[in-house]
Amino acid sequence: MASRQHKLVTAAAALAIAGAAGFFLTQLSAVQGRGTLAQAPLNADVQVPPAFIMAVDDSGSMTFEGLYPGDEQGYWNDLAGSAPNGFFSGPNVLHTTGRGAYYHILPNGIRLDQGGNTLNTATPPRLAIPPLDLFGFARSPAYNNQWFDPAVVYPPWKYANGTSWPNAPITAARSDPRADGSAGTRGPNPAVLYNFTANEDRTANYFAFRFQPGMRLPRGTEYYIRSDRHSNGCGGLGTSNATRNSWQTITTTAGHLVTTANNLAFTNDGSNRGGGCEYHIRYFPAVVFLPILSPPPTGFNVANRVLALDAGGPGVNLYKYELRPGNFTSGYDAHIQNFANWYTYYGNRNRAIVAAMSSAMLEVDNMRVGYFSINRRSGNNPGMNSGDLLMRDLNSGGRPLLYDDFFTLRADGGTPTRSASVYMGDQFRRTDSGAPIQRACQVNSGMLFTDGFTNENPTGGFGNSIRPVGDSDSGQPRPIGGNGNGNTIADIAYSFYDTNLRPDLPAGLVPLREACNNAPVSLRVDCQTNLHMNYFGITLGSKGEIFGVNAAATSDPYTNFPNWSVTGTTSLSPKNVDDIWHATISTRGEFINAQTPASVAEAMRRVLASTSAGASPSGGIALTGSRIGTGSITVVPSYVSRNSGTDWYSTLTAQTVTTNAVTGQATFTFAWEAADRIPAAASRNDVWFGTPSGAQPFNAANVGSLANLCNSPQSGMSLCTPTELAALGAPGPLITLEDAIAYLKGDQSKEAERNPGGTLRFRTTRLGDIVNATPIVSSPLDNYGYQSMPAPFGGASYDAFLAAKKLSNRSMVYAGSNEGMLHGFDGRTGVLGGIERFAYIPQAVLGHMGNLLFPYDPLRGGAQKFQHRYFVDGPLTVSDAYFGGRWQTALAGSTGAGAKSVFAINVSNVSRNVGAMVASDRLWEINDQDTSLPLAVRNNLGNVLGRPVIVPIRTGSGSGPVTWRALFGNGYNSVSGKAVLFMVDIAPGTPVVTMVEAVEASAPAGTNGLGNLVAIDRFSPATDGTLTKRSRDGFVDTVYAADQKGAIWKFDVRAATPTNQTVPLFTTLQYTAGAEAGTRQPILGGLTAAPGPGGGVLVYFGSGSFSFNGDVSDTTLQTLYAVLDRGTGGTVARSSLLQQTIISTTGGFRTTSSNPMEAGRNGFYIDLPPGERFVGYPRIESGVLFMPTYEASAPTGCRAVGNNWLYGLNALNGAAGLSAARLGSPTGTSPGAGTGALNLETGGTAPVRDVAVLTSPRLPPLAATATPAEVAAALAAQCAMIVQVAGAPPMYLPRACGRQSWRQLQ
Amino acid sequence: MTRNFPFGSAPRNRQRGAVLFVALVMLIILALLGITGMQIAGMQERMSSNYRANGLAFQNAEGLARNAECVLEELTNRTGPTPGCDALSEPQIQRACETGFEPGGWAGSLNLTTRRAVTVREVTGCIAGNDDIAVGTAPINDNPNPVYEVTSYMTDDQTNPAAATAVDTIFRP
């Protein structure tokens, strides 16, 4: 009956794009179950690499330096000279029509529109906005998204190996970081150098600024007129030889107004360059204008800033901050370096996109990437058809070549986005050996980076006629469906989403997101299971006719349906932007408006993250109400790792279970999701943390200092220092303890990526990953069977407690997660369900919670500062217990690999309908750092990975004292290295610890540790009062436990001081060859026990480990065992067990032997194939032994590794027990006779740890009107049990039900 | 004196005939017949009464077992209460295995004064290899596959019992 709570725990599986963390790569030991405990799920970096194709705009507009709200150029529109600032039509509102074409800011000595190559006669010419204070908006990130923002750090480009390009010299910053004349460079050759520490006063041609009529040179402006440009001067200046070709100063108070009369043609210039006058201006180039209310650059002496009147439009003043040494009290060097780097590496869109790509792609490992620029497709690669795109596998050295491509991105062509999109999608349809799609379950994304409008039509453009796709989204619901117009980008993209890209591969295997299972499924969610492409668009602040025009109306296109325009043949229109937006919506991609160069990298990371986050299979299941009926719920956690393993999060989903009365089919219905319902940080008052004496509310006053979040004494756990944490706020204010606590409590306002200015780690949900501390459900109906105990425990006392519990308690769901907390969620269905009722941070893990603040750092690639650590990761247990003179409910749990700590909490208060935790509810916490505990206790306590139990024990005699105790193995890697059974009285106060050691004389070398255990009741008081009568009295007296070295120990706990054990009940196979010679199969999985023949006890367990760093690659032989303890003492030999074998494996089913049990055999065993191991918990139900096993290697089908099998064997002799199983439904296919194991399609890579068994009620008699079909269904369905593991379809097994025998006695 | 002999060689003029005698004999026969008939009828009635009592007791015992099974089913399915399903309450279920309980002996130890008794034992963990016996891993009421032994004893009439029957079943809700 070990059912209900922990039933099926697959330690959740995760899709991780995860750059493998360093510790994961060190596989020191060749033996399973030895060495260092892993600090992240071992399956976390296993997945099918997604394919990602980037199409990057290399059009000429990528050289532009302006990016204003709504446009990429400034328009001068003040011929009269009356308005204070003619770029503006009103306060903060820029003109969108007018004179000039001010695409640039910093002239560089060449015709800005000619690229240094050919003369471009386009009109109007591209100009640079004059460096006047009045035009400060152009040099302000508040108006020009492309200008330097002092609050942003602009790191240089990255090479493929992660090293940076050199810092730009502040006195000679290049206009292009690439070598002069090398591929991809654009603009002046050689590059122009800017000195950002001095005034800019070059007088060479094309360093001048164009002043349109209506512009005014203010008094004091120093100007220079070249006589070869204006042979007679211009606008009344430079009218004499003396004032041409020399620096002059405006002296008139009103300045000098350029008028229409000055709208002169130029001499010595072959093209029409519009009107106005060209003046060289002496100015200081390292400058930034910020709005009045914006914080100044850090360290800037605000006395030295200058108010620039009307620089943001009429009446809108800006502050001008010149980055000069004298203007800073501190930090000048960093600011000016940042400015120089900005100019060299981010100064125009071409350079900014290279910076973004080179930094964003650095962190991606597990991906195959194709790259092309939209005007140039790679072709003629060896072995490929002309035009085939070469996919580069980042796992195997593709990155340097990919980066070579990035650095040669040019900027001189049209914008053929339509044909580029077709080309992109067509790549995914290839079937050659280098095709982007390699697996039937692969996730695929395409990304178009463009800054502007399409300039091709379906039959023209880039040298190719476009393969027509017609109106592919016809008939789709809004906003997916178009407007009846065909061959738009949306149609093109949708055809690659809707139509299976690879009909030659099996269809329907692409994993689904969880949201697809929860009806009603939102249109936003990608629920396409055939191979398809998600289309992403990144644009630089472009506006469409709809997109970006009205933020409120376009923020949610699924609610406010955009009215898609006719765009099939449209070119150079804002409608093209809407079309790309439409395409991203249709294909469930994302359209990202990257407003600043820095946000381009961020946006690309989101694209990559979306690609990798894909589907995350469910994790474990807890359930209550295993007999399906009222109150039956299952709780399923799942975890995901993304952002290079920095964003670990969970969802915890509860489903109600119902069963069809006729067919017996179980239905799971979404009830709530807990991560969504965690209270806001400010109102989350029920978070407690452990202290040596109890628990305190988790707030700044109680925690004391940032140092207390970084002081874990366990080596390697804490990665932070208080100084580092505080500095995370940069460039904003320091992170305070209050900030840190708020963040840890779930405040997301300081998260990077989520909020502007956010600097702390991004969390997709506020619930950390739940891995091994999978949930348990505690129901008010739970009866632990203590009625039969003597007073004061049993009888009326316990009955009254049960009645009170049923009346006033709520269901609770407890789960530990690796953001540091044990959570207690409201387990009821409905609106109250899933709300967190309390959280507890064990004392032992508080010292590495500071780690959690470290954000994803794109500059660090796969070596992130943040690394996954376990916190509350040990299995949990809940039970009623009698202490303090009354019945209460207690929870015990451990921190798993996160710390050497076990704690107990009285959950009686929190499980009341209106209850909350109080300080005294923390019963105790024992950890290896608590010096108030005896040294022996601290030295014996290791990382407890086994599941504790809370059981009553009577010691001494039939009238001896009774205590409820938490029992657990001492865990692994303790100081003493012994195997010790811990028994801790559950009552509060100083923990009363009883330790029983198991010391084997001839054990293999190495440290040991006791893992899982099973406690049973074998004896009751005999007539003489001793606890020796062979029957049950409700008190535990025998404990079987497994150790790391492969021994099963039997502890007798009837004595007040139980004797240490020296002879194990059983030892596993000892290896005789290889690196593991001399060691035995480790036992880290769970145990269970059942009555055996002849009054003995059958103990069930399996060998293997998946918790230590070396375990993944180890393929030593592991075995499932059932050992009969006849109670005669001594060690049972493996050779005395009956051997069952795996006969064959076909199509996901294993045929196993059914050898009959022979006399004298002490149980049975079955050897597993190489690589397979048992790390879950066995389960016996109706005579069938269920044991999940995990195969950590050997790719099959789509899954890279991580294959789960479920064995179903006869519990007495190990014969195959799944012959009668039905898959999927009570009438589903049967695997056939002799089947002993089947492959679990969990959709994940994590080990399944538990098996859930549910049964449906017996069918009531059918109505007289029942149809023959209903009768047949009912006959087929009656008396089935539903065997389920997380993520896999259910399996139905017949069970006996109703009366099994009847006799009349008299 | 002349003796009158009612029979035999009586004087001719004496009354002769055996009517009375015959009648008397017949009367005796009839009486005997009647008595026998009465005895038979009484016996029949006693027999049928006993039969009825036994039948009633059996039906009562079976009904009690069914009643207990109904309770068990409700407890397992967390449904009810159904009217009439009241044979036992949850705390009365015995959970231990080696208690020495033997249904025949238990029934034999009861007499008509007991009138109504039911014993329900959960034997899920008493059957070799059927289910685990781990303590502290889960509440006992959340076992999806419990096995119960229901032993019921009941008399025919609760006030004037004449017969009792005991029934023993193994039941899986």
Side-chain angles (χ1 to χ4, degrees):
Chain A
M1 61 182 169
S3 51
R4 172 195 93 130
Q5 285 170 329
H6 318 280
K7 311 274 158 94
L8 67 131
V9 178
T10 65
L15 264 191
I17 187 167
F23 57 79
F24 179 73
L25 299 173
T26 48
Q27 300 186 344
L28 301 171
S29 167
V31 184
Q32 268 188 47
R34 294 251 147 243
T36 311
L37 281 167
Q39 282 298 336
L42 290 174
N43 53 294
D45 69 342
V46 169
Q47 67 165 134
V48 174
F52 181 63
I53 294 183
M54 312 163 69
V56 180
D57 194 337
D58 54 353
S59 62
S61 59
M62 297 299 285
T63 60
F64 296 171
E65 294 174 317
L67 194 53
Y68 307 101
D71 215 317
E72 50 194 8
Q73 58 178 305
Y75 294 95
W76 179 256
N77 204 346
D78 181 36
L79 293 178
S82 56
N85 186 339
F87 282 103
F88 286 86
S89 59
N92 293 321
V93 182
L94 284 156
H95 281 299
T96 52
T97 56
R99 297 169 69 90
Y102 287 95
Y103 292 96
H104 293 270
I105 314 293
L106 292 168
N108 56 19
I110 58 167
R111 282 273 312 273
L112 291 168
D113 55 344
Q114 103 187 36
N117 295 330
T118 57
L119 193 66
N120 186 332
T121 57
T123 55
R126 294 168 186 162
L127 306 172
I129 294 178
L132 307 180
D133 286 3
L134 180 64
F135 303 150
F137 73 95
R139 291 167 172 78
S140 168
Y143 297 86
N144 178 2
N145 285 318
Q146 228 168 301
W147 190 256
F148 172 78
D149 182 345
V152 175
V153 177
Y154 296 92
W157 296 357
K158 298 292 180 185
Y159 291 106
N161 62 6
T163 55
S164 280
W165 288 57
N167 275 334
I170 57 171
T171 56
R174 293 171 60 85
S175 61
D176 193 307
R178 294 168 277 218
D180 289 334
S182 64
T185 53
R186 201 63 192 133
N189 182 10
V192 161
L193 306 183
Y194 260 93
N195 181 350
F196 292 121
T197 63
N199 280 339
E200 172 59 42
D201 53 4
R202 271 176 279 209
T203 56
N205 210 354
Y206 302 121
F207 277 98
F209 295 91
R210 180 72 58 85
F211 282 71
Q212 298 290 340
M215 288 187 181
R216 187 185 297 271
L217 282 75
R219 182 182 181 189
T221 303
E222 294 180 70
Y223 65 95
Y224 181 102
I225 295 176
R226 285 176 67 99
S227 57
D228 61 343
R229 304 292 290 172
H230 297 293
S231 51
N232 296 314
C234 189
L237 300 176
T239 49
S240 67
N241 280 333
T243 54
R244 288 195 292 273
N245 292 338
S246 67
W247 285 99
Q248 305 291 324
T249 303
I250 303 287
T251 53
T252 50
T253 306
H256 175 80
L257 181 68
V258 181
T259 66
T260 45
N262 307 131
N263 192 9
L264 304 176
F266 290 85
T267 58
N268 195 21
D269 193 337
S271 67
N272 174 11
R273 306 215 47 202
C277 297
E278 266 190 13
Y279 305 120
H280 296 262
I281 305 290
R282 178 171 281 152
Y283 66 103
F284 188 72
V287 67
V288 61
F289 290 74
L290 295 175
I292 300 294
L293 294 177
S294 293
T298 51
F300 197 94
N301 180 359
V302 293
N304 293 348
R305 63 186 177 187
V306 177
L307 192 65
L309 295 174
D310 297 327
V316 180
N317 304 334
L318 301 178
Y319 277 123
K320 171 184 174 185
Y321 298 91
E322 289 190 338
L323 306 184
R324 297 178 190 270
N327 289 347
F328 281 86
T329 54
S330 65
Y332 165 76
D333 291 346
H335 276 291
I336 198 68
Q337 182 63 65
N338 199 30
F339 189 90
N341 286 348
W342 162 79
Y343 173 71
T344 299
Y345 293 103
Y346 297 79
N348 67 19
R349 295 175 203 173
N350 173 277
R351 307 204 290 273
I353 178 70
V354 173
M357 291 190 298
S358 69
S359 104
M361 293 305 291
L362 199 57
E363 70 219 36
V364 180
D365 286 324
N366 197 19
M367 187 178 275
R368 295 167 66 252
V369 180
Y371 168 91
F372 67 96
S373 57
I374 60 175
N375 285 296
R376 295 170 184 80
R377 308 173 200 167
S378 76
N380 297 321
N381 288 301
M384 291 182 173
N385 294 322
S386 171
D388 279 357
L389 185 62
L390 184 66
M391 297 299 290
R392 306 206 191 269
D393 189 342
L394 301 187
N395 280 327
S396 53
R399 198 187 318 270
L401 298 167
L402 182 64
Y403 272 58
D404 289 348
D405 289 346
F406 290 167
F407 297 141
T408 55
L409 178 65
R410 297 168 61 103
D412 56 355
T415 313
T417 47
R418 210 174 271 122
S419 58
S421 300
V422 174
Y423 176 75
M424 177 197 291
D426 278 344
Q427 296 305 307
F428 287 112
R429 291 150 50 101
R430 281 162 46 195
T431 56
D432 58 279
S433 62
I437 294 182
Q438 299 277 325
R439 303 264 191 145
C441 54
Q442 194 173 310
V443 174
N444 309 294
S445 294
M447 187 201 78
L448 174 69
F449 188 112
T450 179
D451 70 334
F453 305 143
T454 306
N455 67 351
E456 64 173 348
N457 61 45
T459 53
F462 172 70
N464 262 322
S465 62
I466 294 174
R467 185 172 57 81
V469 298
D471 187 15
S472 73
D473 55 15
S474 167
Q476 295 299 316
R478 293 196 297 168
I480 312 296
N483 59 355
N485 187 238
N487 294 323
T488 63
I489 294 180
D491 287 318
I492 292 165
Y494 190 72
S495 72
F496 295 122
Y497 176 84
D498 189 46
T499 310
N500 190 352
L501 291 172
R502 288 287 299 274
D504 55 319
L505 294 176
L509 289 181
V510 177
L512 284 179
R513 288 160 203 252
E514 288 239 322
C516 295
N517 303 324
N518 304 331
V521 176
S522 162
L523 268 183
R524 299 157 207 264
V525 186
D526 177 2
C527 295
Q528 170 66 274
T529 58
N530 291 335
L531 285 163
H532 62 281
M533 174 185 81
N534 302 117
Y535 187 83
F536 290 83
I538 299 186
T539 180
L540 287 166
S542 307
K543 273 204 305 192
E545 276 196 345
I546 313 167
F547 183 81
V549 175
N550 179 341
T554 54
S555 64
D556 185 1
Y558 295 94
T559 308
N560 302 322
F561 303 123
N563 184 17
W564 304 121
S565 303
V566 176
T567 47
T569 57
T570 310
S571 284
L572 289 173
S573 155
K575 290 173 181 173
N576 300 130
V577 177
D578 295 334
D579 195 11
I580 297 173
W581 186 38
H582 182 188
T584 63
I585 291 171
S586 298
T587 63
R588 278 72 163 185
E590 192 183 352
F591 193 45
I592 297 153
N593 197 351
Q595 295 282 354
T596 69
S599 67
V600 173
E602 206 166 89
M604 282 192 58
R605 280 201 300 278
R606 272 217 299 285
V607 172
L608 298 176
S610 302
T611 304
S612 63
S616 153
S618 55
I621 280 187
L623 71 96
T624 186
S626 53
R627 172 57 60 97
I628 300 170
T630 314
S632 288
I633 63 167
T634 66
V635 181
V636 187
S638 72
Y639 69 78
V640 176
S641 156
R642 54 175 287 280
N643 255 7
S644 284
T646 61
D647 178 15
W648 290 81
Y649 67 94
S650 274
T651 55
L652 184 66
T653 309
Q655 296 177 308
T656 56
V657 192
T658 54
T659 180
N660 183 306
V662 174
T663 65
Q665 184 101 32
T667 307
F668 297 83
T669 311
F670 176 83
W672 46 258
E673 199 282 294
D676 260 359
R677 299 194 178 180
I678 292 179
S683 59
R684 196 175 170 193
N685 299 321
D686 264 0
V687 182
W688 297 74
F689 73 102
T691 66
S693 59
Q696 288 182 325
F698 187 55
N699 59 37
N702 289 333
V703 173
S705 71
L706 278 177
N708 287 337
L709 299 176
C710 296
N711 63 358
S712 170
Q714 195 169 339
S715 155
M717 291 307 280
S718 173
L719 303 166
C720 58
T721 65
T723 322
E724 278 178 301
L725 287 190
L728 286 179
L734 294 180
I735 294 294
T736 63
L737 179 60
E738 284 78 7
D739 295 336
I741 300 278
Y743 174 87
L744 293 171
K745 279 171 138 178
D747 177 15
Q748 297 184 294
S749 66
K750 288 198 182 326
E751 280 180 20
E753 292 179 52
R754 192 180 293 281
N755 294 300
T759 54
L760 302 182
R761 188 174 61 92
F762 177 87
R763 299 166 290 187
T764 302
T765 72
R766 290 171 293 156
L767 187 59
D769 54 305
I770 298 171
V771 183
N772 293 312
T774 48
I776 53 176
V777 187
S778 175
S779 155
L781 303 178
D782 284 353
N783 174 354
Y784 290 85
Y786 294 135
Q787 283 110 333
S788 57
M789 288 188 169
F793 318 113
S797 165
Y798 192 61
D799 285 342
F801 173 70
L802 288 182
K805 199 159 79 156
K806 188 172 175 182
L807 191 68
S808 60
N809 280 28
R810 58 191 169 205
S811 272
M812 292 291 289
V813 175
Y814 304 103
S817 71
N818 292 311
E819 100 284 54
M821 299 178 193
L822 167 80
H823 300 273
F825 299 103
D826 198 315
R828 289 174 286 190
T829 52
V831 293
L832 294 171
I835 297 174
E836 187 191 68
R837 298 301 177 188
F838 86 101
Y840 173 71
I841 300 166
Q843 182 190 346
V845 302
L846 184 69
H848 59 284
M849 283 184 78
N851 295 353
L852 295 168
L853 272 61
F854 285 116
Y856 168 80
D857 182 351
L859 306 180
R860 298 182 68 120
Q864 292 292 316
K865 177 81 176 172
F866 176 87
Q867 287 178 21
H868 188 269
R869 289 285 182 273
Y870 284 124
F871 288 86
V872 186
D873 198 53
L876 310 169
T877 192
V878 166
S879 176
D880 293 340
Y882 189 91
F883 59 92
R886 58 201 169 96
W887 280 103
Q888 315 199 54
T889 306
L891 174 148
S894 81
T895 51
K900 294 170 181 173
S901 171
V902 178
F903 55 88
I905 295 173
N906 180 352
V907 291
S908 305
N909 284 326
V910 292
S911 54
R912 293 213 178 86
N913 279 336
V914 292
M917 183 162 168
V918 298
S920 59
D921 282 347
R922 210 287 300 268
L923 297 171
W924 43 258
E925 176 175 340
I926 59 171
N927 62 55
D928 63 333
Q929 303 298 329
D930 183 353
T931 51
S932 70
L933 291 169
L935 187 64
V937 171
R938 286 186 280 141
N939 284 349
N940 279 342
L941 190 65
N943 290 107
V944 177
L945 270 54
R947 186 172 286 163
V949 293
I950 299 172
V951 292
I953 293 180
R954 187 194 282 282
T955 51
S957 69
S959 56
V962 172
T963 46
W964 265 258
R965 302 185 186 183
L967 269 55
F968 49 90
N970 68 320
Y972 310 115
N973 294 352
S974 61
V975 172
S976 70
K978 292 176 181 171
V980 182
L981 172 67
F982 268 68
M983 301 193 290
V984 186
D985 287 8
I986 202 72
T990 306
V992 179
V993 182
T994 309
M995 295 185 290
V996 196
E997 289 183 18
V999 185
E1000 187 183 356
S1002 56
T1007 61
N1008 205 352
L1010 202 66
N1012 275 290
L1013 53 79
V1014 56
I1016 64 170
D1017 172 18
R1018 295 280 282 165
F1019 299 101
S1020 63
T1023 46
D1024 62 356
T1026 57
L1027 293 165
T1028 51
K1029 187 180 165 198
R1030 258 296 283 114
S1031 79
R1032 301 181 198 168
D1033 61 353
F1035 298 106
V1036 162
D1037 41 50
T1038 306
V1039 176
Y1040 296 97
D1043 77 14
Q1044 200 177 355
K1045 291 182 180 177
I1048 297 289
W1049 295 94
K1050 180 185 181 183
F1051 296 94
D1052 183 341
V1053 298
R1054 284 174 290 181
T1057 311
T1059 48
N1060 292 343
Q1061 298 295 314
T1062 55
V1063 181
L1065 171 67
F1066 180 79
T1067 54
T1068 54
L1069 174 72
Q1070 189 156 25
Y1071 302 112
T1072 55
E1076 59 276 5
T1079 64
R1080 291 190 301 231
Q1081 296 167 319
I1083 308 170
L1084 274 84
L1087 289 79
T1088 193
V1097 175
L1098 272 165
V1099 183
Y1100 301 91
F1101 56 92
S1103 70
S1105 167
F1106 198 62
S1107 299
F1108 292 86
N1109 278 335
D1111 288 351
V1112 177
S1113 55
D1114 189 87
T1115 56
T1116 49
L1117 173 68
Q1118 307 297 342
T1119 307
L1120 304 179
Y1121 290 101
V1123 174
L1124 179 64
D1125 172 24
R1126 297 181 189 270
T1128 53
T1131 301
V1132 174
R1134 181 179 142 110
S1135 59
S1136 73
L1137 308 182
L1138 174 71
Q1139 182 175 14
Q1140 301 287 3
T1141 53
I1142 294 168
I1143 296 169
S1144 63
T1145 302
T1146 317
F1149 300 109
R1150 276 194 183 142
T1151 308
T1152 62
S1153 62
S1154 296
N1155 302 327
M1157 182 55 76
E1158 299 158 6
R1161 294 284 185 188
N1162 293 317
F1164 60 86
Y1165 70 93
I1166 184 165
D1167 284 334
L1168 300 173
E1172 204 168 309
R1173 76 274 323 264
F1174 176 80
V1175 292
Y1177 288 85
R1179 172 79 194 257
I1180 303 168
E1181 207 55 65
S1182 276
V1184 183
L1185 166 70
F1186 296 103
M1187 294 184 88
T1189 64
Y1190 183 66
E1191 190 180 357
S1193 54
T1196 61
C1198 268
R1199 283 169 303 177
V1201 298
N1203 206 7
N1204 283 291
W1205 292 82
L1206 178 64
Y1207 285 76
L1209 307 172
N1210 181 305
L1212 287 175
N1213 62 15
L1218 296 178
S1219 308
R1222 298 271 180 177
L1223 304 179
S1225 81
T1227 53
T1229 53
S1230 179
T1235 302
L1238 48 83
N1239 196 347
L1240 293 171
E1241 299 284 347
T1242 64
T1245 60
V1248 167
R1249 297 205 190 264
D1250 288 276
V1251 181
V1253 175
L1254 301 101
T1255 54
S1256 46
R1258 292 199 301 148
L1259 298 184
L1262 295 181
T1265 54
T1267 63
E1270 285 171 337
V1271 173
L1275 283 173
Q1278 69 176 0
C1279 303
M1281 56 184 177
I1282 302 155
V1283 180
Q1284 202 172 14
V1285 301
M1291 181 175 78
Y1292 291 77
L1293 262 184
R1295 70 178 178 106
C1297 74
R1299 277 190 175 172
Q1300 306 300 302
S1301 80
W1302 181 89
R1303 59 180 170 150
Q1304 184 176 0
L1305 299 169
Q1306 67 176 41
Chain B
M1 118 177 212
T2 303
R3 296 176 63 180
N4 293 327
F5 296 96
F7 306 107
S9 58
R12 249 189 182 174
N13 56 347
R14 288 190 185 171
Q15 283 186 326
R16 298 182 54 154
V19 173
L20 180 62
F21 181 75
V22 169
L24 287 171
V25 169
M26 291 304 289
L27 209 59
I28 290 167
I29 290 171
L30 284 174
L32 284 172
L33 274 172
I35 291 165
T36 308
M38 279 167 58
Q39 281 180 331
I40 289 173
M43 181 63 77
Q44 288 284 357
E45 187 168 318
R46 288 220 302 279
M47 282 167 62
S48 66
S49 169
N50 184 42
Y51 187 74
R52 175 184 172 277
N54 271 309
L56 210 52
F58 167 71
Q59 294 297 347
N60 281 346
E62 170 68 11
L64 185 57
R66 293 262 178 199
N67 186 329
E69 289 170 1
C70 174
V71 174
L72 294 173
E73 187 126 38
E74 279 182 2
L75 283 174
T76 308
N77 292 343
R78 303 183 303 285
T79 53
T82 308
C85 285
D86 54 1
L88 76 158
S89 65
E90 200 269 335
Q92 291 169 332
I93 300 172
Q94 299 174 16
R95 309 272 182 190
C97 287
E98 303 88 346
T99 54
F101 178 85
E102 198 279 302
W106 173 77
S109 70
L110 303 175
N111 57 40
L112 290 182
T113 57
T114 305
R115 295 191 176 139
R116 186 178 196 261
V118 62
T119 301
V120 175
R121 304 169 61 226
E122 188 188 346
V123 294
T124 321
C126 309
I127 306 164
N130 178 64
D131 208 337
D132 71 90
I133 50 172
V135 180
T137 52
I140 57 165
N141 59 330
D142 208 12
N143 186 342
N145 275 317
V147 185
Y148 294 101
E149 179 178 20
V150 177
T151 315
S152 66
Y153 173 94
M154 196 156 170
T155 58
D156 60 330
D157 188 281
Q158 295 298 293
T159 48
N160 293 302
T165 296
V167 166
D168 181 71
T169 72
I170 300 293
F171 179 68
R172 308 184 74 144

